[in-house]
Amino acid sequence: MKLLFAMYLLFSVQPTDLSENISILHNQKEVKSLHRSELTLFPSDQTMLDYSKVDELLDSINSSTYKPPINAYINEQHQLVSEEVGYRLDEKKFLELLYTRYFSGGPATIRIPLQTLHPRVDSELLSSIRTKQIGYYTTTFNTRNKQRSQNIRLASQAINNQVVFPGEIFSFNTVVGKRTTEKGYLPAPVIVKGELSEGIGGGICQVSSTLFNAVDYAKVDIIERYSHSRSVPYVPPNRDATVSWYGPDFTFRNQHNQPILIQSKIYHGTLSISIFSSDAFE
């Protein structure tokens, strides 16, 4: 698309003065100013664009203008916080403007065109699916173990306010992500082949196990669940769900006719996970 459009402009209009600047604006502020020569392939032939330089320009503008959408959510005071739309560069429109301005000659201005990104979960949807509790489970942990408690808190925050739509598959590993020190996860005891050892993120299996029991009450379709190689103290035998970034995952499908909402809260040494849906839930 970039090549065809540029070839059309190349043969339809010839540049007059490629030394002038092109100013790129975002929200009425200049975010980039460049000479036309900065986009050329050969200094001696400024009618030839260097598309690797164009791609670098696109990447730079993308990084400076991208704003991810934010889903509506329920805060710690149980208040509904409205969603926020996001934005990203409309690359097709931007390239059309860039090529036109590039070959027009003289100083030029481009106002960055953006695409609106709508969040998956808005206030209206969230209001409708927080009304009926369809699942619940609670477990306790020792708050004196600061490192394990920290890992539980981070994993709980990651799954909190997650909405699973009808037919959608929830993956614990995908939602929580890789457990790293950069994210704040700490070394804590983990079970490996029946033996206790230290590992980054130790303790998050309590979150996945609590979630399993909560969604199991909601009668979802459990797809993937594995038990530890030895018993754990926070759930009854065979009611746990072990997870590992490079190993087992806990996944389930929402086969119901309504979205479901996960609410995960920690109060002192208690982890409580509630599953909600709308009054139309069947």
Side-chain angles (χ1 to χ4, degrees):
M1 187 271 294
K2 290 186 293 186
L3 181 60
L4 291 175
F5 193 81
M7 290 178 62
Y8 163 77
L9 290 173
L10 177 62
F11 290 107
S12 62
V13 59
Q14 291 298 314
T16 56
D17 183 1
L18 296 181
S19 65
E20 299 285 357
N21 278 7
I22 297 176
S23 179
I24 301 174
L25 305 181
H26 177 54
N27 292 334
Q28 307 304 318
K29 295 182 180 179
E30 186 177 74
V31 296
K32 187 80 173 178
S33 178
L34 51 86
H35 288 87
R36 285 175 171 81
S37 59
E38 294 181 57
L39 297 176
T40 60
L41 188 60
F42 304 109
S44 60
D45 183 2
Q46 294 185 332
T47 63
M48 296 294 291
L49 279 169
D50 185 336
Y51 291 105
S52 66
K53 295 178 181 178
V54 173
D55 286 337
E56 289 177 5
L57 178 62
L58 285 175
D59 291 340
S60 174
I61 295 175
N62 261 318
S63 63
S64 64
T65 58
Y66 176 69
K67 178 181 180 293
I70 299 175
N71 289 332
Y73 65 94
I74 300 170
N75 64 19
E76 293 181 357
Q77 291 73 42
H78 304 290
Q79 298 169 325
L80 194 155
V81 180
S82 296
E83 71 280 1
E84 296 180 22
V85 297
Y87 301 96
R88 70 180 173 196
L89 174 67
D90 188 324
E91 292 192 4
K92 180 180 179 181
K93 288 184 179 179
F94 179 81
L95 288 172
E96 291 174 354
L97 291 170
L98 177 65
Y99 295 148
T100 301
R101 302 293 192 273
Y102 179 88
F103 288 106
S104 65
T109 298
I110 298 176
R111 289 177 172 79
I112 297 175
L114 298 175
Q115 292 178 325
T116 300
L117 303 175
H118 296 282
R120 294 176 72 245
V121 181
D122 58 25
S123 301
E124 182 179 1
L125 172 65
L126 197 56
S127 295
S128 69
I129 61 172
R130 63 180 299 193
T131 57
K132 183 178 182 179
Q133 182 171 296
I134 59 173
Y136 176 80
Y137 203 78
T138 183
T139 58
T140 59
F141 58 93
N142 183 1
T143 57
R144 291 191 296 273
N145 187 332
K146 301 298 183 182
Q147 293 173 291
R148 188 174 186 276
S149 299
Q150 165 79 346
N151 297 335
I152 291 174
R153 181 182 64 83
L154 290 174
S156 172
Q157 290 175 346
I159 67 170
N160 186 42
N161 281 304
Q162 290 291 319
V163 173
V164 187
F165 288 87
E168 190 173 45
I169 295 176
F170 175 96
S171 162
F172 187 90
N173 280 341
T174 298
V175 171
V176 175
K178 189 175 182 179
R179 282 66 85 177
T180 64
T181 54
E182 289 77 14
K183 292 181 179 180
Y185 287 96
L186 302 172
V190 295
I191 299 174
V192 179
K193 296 182 179 180
E195 300 296 331
L196 281 175
S197 62
E198 287 283 311
I200 299 297
I204 67 165
C205 289
Q206 181 161 348
V207 181
S208 57
S209 296
T210 308
L211 176 63
F212 158 61
N213 284 277
V215 296
D216 197 38
Y217 277 113
K219 305 300 183 185
V220 300
D221 181 15
I222 305 298
I223 297 176
E224 185 178 0
R225 178 186 73 90
Y226 303 94
S227 289
H228 291 82
S229 52
R230 59 185 290 181
S231 61
V232 292
Y234 43 82
V235 291
N238 298 319
R239 296 299 299 175
D240 58 323
T242 182
V243 292
S244 171
W245 181 251
Y246 293 110
D249 193 4
F250 169 57
T251 65
F252 66 87
R253 178 187 292 108
N254 175 16
Q255 83 281 16
H256 298 293
N257 65 339
Q258 296 293 315
I260 62 175
L261 167 67
I262 299 171
Q263 287 280 277
S264 184
K265 304 294 182 184
I266 290 177
Y267 183 73
H268 296 303
T270 300
L271 168 66
S272 299
I273 298 182
S274 300
I275 311 299
F276 291 90
S277 192
S278 73
D279 289 332
F281 178 86
E282 297 177 356

